[in-house]
Amino acid sequence: MKKNVTIKHIAEYAGVSFSTVAKALRNDPVVNEKTRVKIHYIAREFNYYPNILAKGLRSKKTKTIGIILNDIQSPFYSEIYKVIGDVLNKQGYTMILCDSSFDLELEKKNITTMISQGVEGIIISSVSEKSDNIQIILDYDLKTVFIDNIPEFSNINYVYVNHEEAASLAVEHLIENGHRDILLLNGPEGLSSSQHFLKGYMEKLRASGIEIKNELIRFIGISVEESLDTLKNIFFGKDSITKKDFTAIMTLSDVIAIGIYEAAQQLQFAIPDDYSVIGYDNILATKYLAPPLTTIHQPKKRTGLYSINLLLEQINNDSKELKKIILSPELIVRGSVKKINRC
Amino acid sequence: MKKNVTIKHIAEYAGVSFSTVAKALRNDPVVNEKTRVKIHYIAREFNYYPNILAKGLRSKKTKTIGIILNDIQSPFYSEIYKVIGDVLNKQGYTMILCDSSFDLELEKKNITTMISQGVEGIIISSVSEKSDNIQIILDYDLKTVFIDNIPEFSNINYVYVNHEEAASLAVEHLIENGHRDILLLNGPEGLSSSQHFLKGYMEKLRASGIEIKNELIRFIGISVEESLDTLKNIFFGKDSITKKDFTAIMTLSDVIAIGIYEAAQQLQFAIPDDYSVIGYDNILATKYLAPPLTTIHQPKKRTGLYSINLLLEQINNDSKELKKIILSPELIVRGSVKKINRC
DNA sequence: TTGTAAGCGTTATCAA
DNA sequence: TTGATAACGCTTACAA
């Protein structure tokens, strides 16, 4: 790495003191117009890059914010942080992105790293709703917006899409189409989204007078593979239920739903003729699947926008005011649910 | 933000000097085992988070690396930086992610920000192959691995998937299936990937004795929308060509191909009966589209893995050795190409 | 309008 | 084995 050009070098060359350079570079009106211009010119000539570390160390302004998610590859999250990144870029902030992979230890490491890095704030989709990790954030008084779940702490900002309502919407649509035995391919059991989703599933079923069967509720990782494996086991008789025990499948994520499409190919069943399927998230590709996936839309762009605006507002106004935003999901009817007549 | 706990606070409480604390925290064997343990204990009690800014300022080791891409939301890139992030996390590095949106000015800003942030190295998919931006990187002697294109500078590390070969593979497959009039929905004209891809397209056509028609070559943004718009214009007679002028479409990206699927829905044509389609990248969802998309696979995981390993190697060994890796794409035949008999 | 000096939280060197 | 001190590059009073 080449030795860095600092304000001292510029000062020396310009024949002024380094604090004058500092002021000139910040366009402090106190400095003479001529010297200001000259110093800017020299800085440019010398390829001067201000050292954010030094700046941050002194002023506590690092112009950096952290994003901590459980799966940065997921199209769901990437749509969210895309808009966050755009806003940040416009405001001169940089974004540190971390993946917790649904792991509390990793999440803890990510949080402490963020603190060590001196971020001005974070947006986090936490692994759990009441872990010690959240306490770390609270203790440190780190400016934070939670997304995708609602931690069980009152003094917290969040932007949340109502997963319970989403599950309710899905169950309702399935029931309207004659389904009663609905296999739920949920996310990991420890994940709060899974719990909210489960709650919506159960309550809607109960409200409709349909018996809840525990064997139809599965907690799996959010991936094509785990979804596929689950169905394989069922089809190959390695499971407590058989392929006759349900007529519809709903999932916590479109990615899991895609796993069902893969299973359909491998196990030779038809969607929606053999099983109706409803996903969740409404990621880009779902519209073009065969058949187009009926799913529950999450307002991802708004989640991103609201969360970053909330965070920036807190940072800029040093505000302590709590903001809680709950967004509603929306049913998108396409072609993966079929009306059936029960005997 | 709460006032930070520093080694000075710990030192005071422990009744030792702060430099002893520093050594103890780094497990320097020179310090007495008892004091070492005591200091670690206190640090933990006090919620001490080492200040990376100060550390970086002093030691030049920020444990941070930067990733600069043209579209962080793209499933293609996200698969790449997912593996990069995993490796980084394991090694105690953090990742700054920036989006250049195919814009040279934004890219420049991203690069200078990275430098200002004191990253130890960057992985970049540059907008162009010979911009001043690359010169900035070279001038600063910033440790860098280029991906997804090959800048026209000799002293550079890269991991590149041969786009020319990819286009060639696509054209070949189309020709084998009887197609001669192949609409190319390429990326932005200024993008080097587009140029490589174009070259492969043209050379394969030429080698096969097929006339190259310039009207069949289109440079568009990599998005569903622009792809859709292009086809709409053609269908609505707002273009120099008509819908009869081609029998197949190939694209620089699966995302563009998805735009064709959208167009098929809106404009009521059938894939592959009316048009054969070949994509590029092989992103997750393509396998489940209707019909499953025939595409050219890019080894994304390997691109990520090789590039981060290359970079880390450079950083850790302070090596100046140049490494150039070229990976080969691979044709994935699925259902979106149909054999036709020309009259 | 410009310069001086202290300090941010570390690391690293040298002395005790 | 521990402590004092300078330095990293910047911001920010305060003095000139």
Side-chain angles (χ1 to χ4, degrees), chain A residues 94-107:
Chain A
T94 49
M95 169 170 90
I96 296 181
L97 187 62
C98 281
D99 195 320
S100 300
S101 303
F102 303 102
D103 178 312
L104 277 170
E105 272 314 301
L106 244 181
E107 180 179 77

Side-chain angles (χ1 to χ4, degrees), chain B residues 148-270:
Chain B
D148 204 28
N149 63 26
I150 307 186
E152 297 174 351
F153 296 80
S154 55
N155 47 341
I156 245 169
N157 301 281
Y158 59 76
V159 178
Y160 174 69
V161 177
N162 197 329
H163 300 317
E164 198 176 321
E165 188 183 342
S168 185
L169 245 30
V171 172
E172 183 177 35
H173 183 64
L174 255 10
I175 290 177
E176 281 172 4
N177 281 277
H179 298 274
R180 305 189 113 247
D181 301 304
I182 305 169
L183 176 63
L184 169 62
L185 257 32
N186 210 343
E189 184 159 15
L191 197 66
S192 56
S193 322
S194 303
Q195 291 302 327
H196 291 288
F197 203 69
L198 175 63
K199 196 170 169 211
Y201 168 88
M202 298 216 292
E203 298 211 333
K204 193 71 194 180
L205 242 30
R206 191 159 15 227
S208 310
I210 297 176
E211 181 197 358
I212 295 165
K213 298 179 186 144
N214 283 324
E215 324 88 72
L216 291 182
I217 298 169
R218 298 304 165 92
F219 298 99
I220 64 175
I222 299 176
S223 71
V224 171
E225 292 71 27
E226 294 206 29
S227 169
L228 172 62
D229 286 348
T230 306
L231 289 175
K232 270 187 179 164
N233 285 339
I234 292 173
F235 269 66
F236 295 157
K238 292 186 196 153
D239 198 289
S240 59
I241 60 171
T242 75
K243 59 182 184 173
K244 303 255 182 201
D245 292 335
F246 56 99
T247 62
I249 313 173
M250 59 183 270
T251 69
L252 180 72
S253 154
D254 287 344
V255 172
I256 296 178
I258 289 178
I260 302 173
Y261 278 63
E262 172 71 32
Q265 290 186 2
Q266 293 193 20
L267 304 172
Q268 308 268 26
F269 62 80

Side-chain angles (χ1 to χ4, degrees), chain B residues 11-12 16 28 32 36 58 76 78 144 148 155 170 174 181 198 201 215 222 249 264 277 285 303 319 327 332 343:
Chain B
E12 192 177 0
V16 296
D28 191 322
N32 181 299
R36 216 211 58 182
R58 184 59 232 247
F76 168 68
S78 60
T144 303
D148 204 28
N155 47 341
L174 255 10
D181 301 304
L198 175 63
Y201 168 88
E215 324 88 72
I222 299 176
I249 313 173
V277 177
T303 299
S319 113
L327 303 173
I332 309 281
C343 334

Side-chain angles (χ1 to χ4, degrees), chain A residues 293-306:
Chain A
L293 181 69
T294 292
T295 190
I296 312 291
H297 174 78
Q298 284 211 52
K300 298 168 283 297
K301 288 204 172 62
R302 276 193 293 151
T303 300
L305 209 56
Y306 290 169

Side-chain angles (χ1 to χ4, degrees), chain A residues 147-163:
Chain A
I147 57 172
D148 204 30
N149 62 25
I150 308 185
E152 297 173 350
F153 296 80
S154 55
N155 47 340
I156 246 167
N157 301 281
Y158 59 76
V159 178
Y160 174 70
V161 177
N162 197 330
H163 300 316

